[in-house]
Amino acid sequence: MRIVLKVPATTANLGSGFDTLGMALSLYNIFTVKEIFDEAKFSCEVIGEGMDELRDSDSNMIVKSYKRACEEWRVKPKGFALESCNAVPLNRGLGSSSTAVVAGVVLANLICELNKPEAELLRVMTLIEGHPDNVVPCFIGGMTVSCWDGENLRYVRLPALPENLNVIAAVPDFQVHTEDARKILPESVPFRDAVFNVSHASILCAAWAMGRWDLLRVGMEDRLHQPHRAKLFPGETGEKFLREIAAHPDCVATAISGSGPTMIAIVHGKAGKLASAMCKIFTEGNAASHFFVLNCAPMGTVIDI
């Protein structure tokens, strides 16, 4: 059996939607199982992003997620030879770890011939990842709204962005680890800030569902996580980005992508001027950067056997 998985990047924690809102992006990791073994031995070949960090099969997140899923479903894991062709940058807030979690769970379901339904696959993915806002859109595509109480997952798939709206992802050359981005968050927030985020997240979801793209900028406004995570950026880069890019005439909405440090902006029409403005802010903070112009990926993980 030869299995090929095409797994999309994601942008999550979208503005006011901390741990809740996420979107699949048209940037992909391709994972190929070349051979399956009866015993639980694994080999990993990595091409592209993370080729130095991800070669060790014992620490490879795909293998770890595969084993965890087999344990959750109480089946004996087989082994496999894996080739990863990675285009999604590591530790940049574009869901690289989620691509591995999704791939590992999907492979456990396929290799062990379990035929688990979508909801069960997503439950185990979320159990491994710890929150659903990356793994849900990574697996089913589009824009998703999810809630997770530690045991039960509920999710809704919203329409993908229309073709005339693109997503710019400005990716700097430094990393932010999810653990560090969570440590900087406060344990409690003022009641008025909680109300602010509930109202803005509600507007964001309603506007997205109804195609009211003019309201996305307001819906993305946040007081729970972005003001704190912006401080992890060098100098005042994060604060400046949220302030200046949000006001750019070509920008429909902007946010820190995931845990950062990638910044995303939804743009109407040509993306050149806005992408240049985004990278200029990183340059002013003494950080090199590059950018992708992407679409909202309407399909999630694609399986070819």
Side-chain angles (χ1 to χ4, degrees):
M1 180 186 291
R2 183 176 184 271
I3 304 170
V4 181
L5 305 180
K6 182 180 179 182
V7 189
T10 48
T11 180
N13 293 325
L14 283 174
S16 55
F18 179 69
D19 273 3
T20 301
L21 304 181
M23 175 169 54
L25 299 173
S26 58
L27 181 68
Y28 300 91
N29 287 343
I30 309 295
F31 304 122
T32 303
V33 171
K34 294 185 171 182
E35 189 175 358
I36 296 173
F37 312 118
D38 289 333
E39 58 183 301
K41 63 177 183 178
F42 303 90
S43 66
C44 300
E45 179 185 358
V46 181
I47 302 168
E49 296 284 344
M51 62 185 303
D52 296 325
E53 300 99 314
L54 303 177
R55 289 175 178 171
D56 181 9
S57 61
D58 291 333
S59 60
N60 186 287
M61 193 62 189
I62 298 175
V63 175
K64 291 171 70 174
S65 299
Y66 169 83
K67 290 179 177 178
R68 176 69 184 281
C70 289
E71 179 183 345
E72 182 72 17
W73 293 324
R74 299 180 181 180
V75 295
K76 182 180 178 181
K78 296 181 180 180
F80 53 77
L82 177 72
E83 179 187 85
S84 300
C85 186
N86 297 342
V88 182
L90 268 63
N91 298 317
R92 295 300 202 286
L94 287 171
S96 62
S97 65
S98 293
T99 68
V101 171
V102 168
V105 175
V106 169
L107 289 177
N109 186 51
L110 292 173
I111 291 173
C112 299
E113 300 180 348
L114 300 174
N115 296 315
K116 297 291 185 180
E118 175 184 279
E120 173 61 10
L121 295 174
L122 283 168
R123 184 192 70 82
V124 174
M125 292 169 187
T126 305
L127 188 67
I128 296 171
E129 179 77 352
H131 40 86
D133 51 328
N134 273 310
V135 293
V136 175
C138 183
F139 186 52
I140 69 174
M143 167 74 163
T144 63
V145 186
S146 309
C147 65
W148 168 251
D149 62 7
E151 295 182 3
N152 301 298
L153 175 67
R154 302 289 185 270
Y155 57 95
V156 175
R157 186 179 185 275
L158 297 179
L161 286 173
E163 292 183 358
N164 63 340
L165 292 180
N166 293 318
V167 180
I168 302 170
V171 186
D173 64 355
F174 60 90
Q175 297 183 346
V176 171
H177 293 277
T178 302
E179 296 81 3
D180 297 330
R182 286 192 174 267
K183 286 179 182 177
I184 202 170
L185 300 179
E187 292 185 3
S188 60
V189 297
F191 189 79
R192 63 181 179 276
D193 289 347
V195 172
F196 179 95
N197 266 65
V198 169
S199 63
H200 283 69
S202 299
I203 284 289
L204 178 56
C205 293
W208 201 293
M210 300 300 294
R212 287 291 306 275
W213 311 117
D214 57 306
L215 292 175
L216 294 193
R217 187 194 307 267
V218 172
M220 288 278 195
E221 293 177 6
D222 160 71
R223 292 182 182 175
L224 292 187
H225 68 107
Q226 292 188 131
H228 305 286
R229 288 177 164 175
K231 296 175 182 177
L232 294 173
F233 291 59
E236 296 183 356
T237 302
E239 294 94 331
K240 189 174 183 181
F241 188 102
L242 292 172
R243 182 176 63 251
E244 294 187 8
I245 298 304
H248 194 283
D250 294 338
C251 182
V252 175
T254 189
I256 297 174
S257 184
S259 299
T262 292
M263 307 296 297
I264 61 124
I266 298 174
V267 60
H268 186 279
K270 294 183 179 179
K273 290 183 180 179
L274 183 55
S276 296
M278 294 166 75
C279 290
K280 181 181 178 183
I281 291 177
F282 282 128
T283 300
E284 292 171 351
N286 296 317
S289 63
H290 63 281
F291 67 87
F292 298 99
V293 180
L294 306 169
N295 303 115
C296 174
M299 296 181 65
T301 298
V302 177
I303 302 168
D304 183 13
I305 300 177

